[in-house]
């Protein structure tokens, strides 16, 4: 295991996972271990990961949940010696300098929350490129009030579970990502709030960029997607919850 690991939780992502793996194979910094966590998939996700050219460690997590799968991947990487951890998801395309940027940022921060933009190959509309991200940022500003806490050592920032970097030391010290059902909470926000109680070295980094799928927004519509992110005030049918 190298000192930096990239963790990719994946649930039934045999169609989009190859694009994520290809984007990681094209990174300017190749000195990392890639860990794909097959999260109880019923398709060929594990086989796609295992069969991809290059070194990929495939770990199985039978309990559904993005946070649970991410936690399994992070702790696997830590167990085998990783000290810097990056996470993206199996429907995302990290920028070519994503690993290099994350590594550099973790030299001066303990948790880095990156920027998410719509996947260009999904041909986003103007509103999806401009208005939706603006609404997300506005919600994050409101989150500063919702998540204010006298025990926090760092301010609340906009966080995406599919684009973050954290030191192994902080991950273990703060308790890591919650192992909970996807519909029960926002695992990325919980991780951020746990980390804020243990470190002031938490930053929002606009230069740490991934492109993410618009599947949820297009499938649910803007209102339902917003309500989902707002403390799960919208909950779809069980299978649709796991579109992520």
């Amino acid at each position: 295991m190298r000192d930096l690991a990239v963790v990719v939780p994946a649930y039934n992502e045999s169609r989009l996972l190859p694009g994520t793996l290809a984007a990681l194979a094209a990174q300017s910094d190749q000195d990392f271990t890639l860990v794909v966590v097959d999260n109880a998939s019923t398709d060929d996700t594990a086989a796609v990961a295992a069969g991809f050219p290059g070194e990929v460690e495939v770990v199985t997590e039978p309990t559904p949940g993005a946070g649970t799968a991410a936690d399994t991947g992070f702790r696997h990487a830590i167990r085998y010696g990783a000290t810097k951890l990056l996470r993206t998801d199996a429907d995302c395309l990290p920028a070519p300098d994503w690993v290099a940027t994350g590594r550099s940022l973790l030299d001066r921060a303990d948790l880095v929350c990156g920027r998410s933009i719509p996947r260009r190959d999904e041909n986003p509309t103007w509103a999806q490129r401009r208005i939706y991200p603006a609404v997300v940022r506005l919600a994050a500003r409101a989150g500063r009030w919702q998540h204010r806490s006298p025990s926090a050592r760092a301010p609340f920032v906009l966080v995406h579970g599919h684009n973050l970097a954290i030191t192994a030391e902080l991950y273990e010290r703060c308790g890591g990502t919650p192992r909970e059902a996807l519909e029960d909470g926002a695992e990325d926000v919980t991780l951020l709030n746990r980390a804020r109680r243990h470190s002031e070295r938490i930053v929002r980094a606009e230069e740490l960029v991934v492109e993410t799928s618009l599947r949820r927004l297009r499938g649910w519509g803007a209102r339902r997607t917003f309500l989902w992110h707002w403390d799960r005030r919208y909950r779809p049918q069980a299978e649709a919850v796991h579109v992520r």
Side-chain angles (χ1 to χ4, degrees):
M1 179 74 68
R2 295 178 172 88
D3 73 314
L4 188 148
V6 173
V7 174
V8 181
Y11 170 76
N12 285 353
E13 290 288 8
S14 60
R15 184 177 68 87
L16 291 181
L17 180 59
T20 303
L21 298 179
L24 292 170
Q27 291 293 303
S28 59
D29 180 345
Q30 284 291 309
D31 188 20
F32 65 91
T33 298
L34 175 57
V35 179
V36 175
V37 184
D38 176 30
N39 190 199
S41 298
T42 58
D43 68 356
D44 294 331
T45 291
V48 168
F52 192 81
E55 184 179 344
V56 182
E57 296 189 11
V58 182
V59 178
T60 300
E61 172 48 64
T63 303
T68 301
D71 184 61
T72 295
F74 282 140
R75 294 190 186 279
H76 171 86
I78 293 170
R79 186 179 310 118
Y80 289 98
T83 60
K84 295 181 177 181
L85 309 165
L86 275 71
R87 176 189 161 186
T88 191
D89 283 351
D91 62 351
C92 294
L93 302 176
D97 66 348
W98 182 72
V99 169
T101 301
R103 183 191 300 278
S104 175
L105 288 166
L106 285 179
D107 286 337
R108 56 183 185 273
D110 294 327
L111 172 61
V112 182
C113 304
R115 178 164 61 98
S116 174
I117 62 176
R119 285 179 60 139
R120 286 171 289 182
D121 62 354
E122 291 186 352
N123 300 312
T125 65
W126 183 88
Q128 289 165 347
R129 286 186 291 108
R130 302 294 184 184
I131 297 178
Y132 181 63
V135 171
V136 171
R137 289 174 182 274
L138 183 62
R141 288 184 178 273
R144 295 178 184 178
W145 292 97
Q146 180 182 355
H147 297 284
R148 63 189 184 276
S149 168
S151 64
R153 297 169 58 182
F156 183 87
V157 296
L158 176 57
V159 60
H160 304 291
H162 57 257
N163 186 14
L164 58 81
I166 188 170
T167 64
E169 190 278 331
L170 177 59
Y171 190 84
E172 292 193 301
R173 181 154 50 94
C174 77
T177 309
R179 301 180 67 86
E180 62 186 1
L182 189 61
E183 62 268 29
D184 288 341
E187 87 283 349
D188 46 5
V189 174
T190 301
L191 173 61
L192 170 64
N193 284 333
R194 288 177 174 180
R196 291 170 61 216
R197 294 196 294 269
H198 293 269
S199 175
E200 65 279 354
R201 301 197 332 147
I202 295 174
V203 299
R204 168 76 179 176
E206 297 295 311
E207 66 269 35
L208 188 70
V209 180
V210 302
E211 296 181 21
T212 188
S213 176
L214 293 166
R215 291 180 300 172
R216 178 176 285 156
L217 177 62
R218 288 175 171 174
W220 298 357
R223 177 179 174 276
R224 288 177 175 178
T225 302
F226 178 76
L227 290 174
W228 164 263
H229 287 295
W230 184 16
D231 293 334
R232 303 300 191 257
R233 295 175 187 232
Y234 165 69
R235 293 193 181 193
Q237 297 296 319
E239 180 64 21
V241 165
H242 294 283
V243 173
R244 59 183 191 240

